[in-house]
Amino acid sequence: GEREVRRAVGVLEADPIRQAGGVGASARDLELIREMLTPITSHPCFFATWSTKARTYAARDGVALASSTTEAVANADLIICAVTAASTAAASEQIARARTKRAFVLDVNSASPRTKTACAAVIEQTGGRYVEAAVMSSVPPHGIRVPMLLGGPHASALRPALAELGFDAKVG
């Protein structure tokens, strides 16, 4: 059958999220999220404040660097949100406003349960499908195979697609 996930994007630390320049995405951030998205789409798209090295890698690898959250997530089927805990709520609000389809939003942030519950509500209110992911180990050296525990009402629906893409994700 056809995959439910056809286009995925990553949302990293970004100027509009931090409002005043914030912390930029490093080349390593780009590499980690790109590794997660490459099996999903040949044209991964990321939104962040990009370092020069990250821009160089993106150009080399054919990765589109979006200039806004809307540009990055509008037509995505899977949005992987990987920002700092302090930016999690703002990122979810931006994703909820920018998304134009019933996308899965995979939240891999290390925010508190209260923040994640609030983020889920924001995404769900606009028709998105929020899935919380607890990353159970350090990403390096696992990359996409880092063990994750998924939660939320849409976790079971997303898990098979993640498994097909090479993620090591289980529903908790």
Side-chain angles (χ1 to χ4, degrees):
E2 291 186 57
R3 261 193 220 166
E4 196 166 357
V5 175
R6 295 176 183 271
R7 182 171 186 271
V9 300
V11 176
L12 301 169
E13 203 66 35
D15 271 342
I17 292 169
R18 298 291 292 218
Q19 294 302 318
V23 177
S26 70
R28 183 67 181 146
D29 293 332
L30 177 65
E31 288 296 313
L32 292 174
I33 300 297
R34 184 171 90 49
E35 183 177 334
M36 290 177 155
L37 296 180
T38 298
I40 303 169
T41 178
S42 59
H43 302 289
C45 177
F46 304 99
F47 174 54
T49 306
W50 298 107
S51 69
T52 302
K53 191 171 184 182
R55 287 180 188 277
T56 301
Y57 285 173
R60 178 195 71 197
D61 296 337
V63 174
L65 300 178
S67 61
S68 70
T69 305
T70 301
E71 180 185 346
V73 307
N75 295 307
D77 299 304
L78 171 61
I79 300 162
I80 299 172
C81 185
V83 299
T84 62
S87 297
T88 301
S92 291
E93 289 169 11
Q94 287 186 16
I95 290 166
R97 285 192 305 268
R99 196 187 37 66
T100 60
K101 60 185 342 186
R102 192 164 154 69
F104 287 103
V105 178
L106 181 63
D107 183 342
V108 299
N109 305 310
S110 59
S112 71
R114 177 177 284 158
T115 299
K116 289 205 173 203
T117 299
C119 292
V122 166
I123 298 296
E124 297 285 331
Q125 287 171 358
T126 60
R129 295 178 285 178
Y130 180 91
V131 177
E132 194 278 330
V135 179
M136 306 305 290
S137 181
S138 178
V139 175
H142 304 287
I144 193 173
R145 302 251 348 123
V146 65
M148 290 184 197
L149 188 59
L150 305 177
H154 306 289
S156 293
L158 180 58
R159 199 210 58 75
L162 292 178
E164 183 181 337
L165 297 167
F167 285 77
D168 182 9
K170 295 178 178 36
V171 177

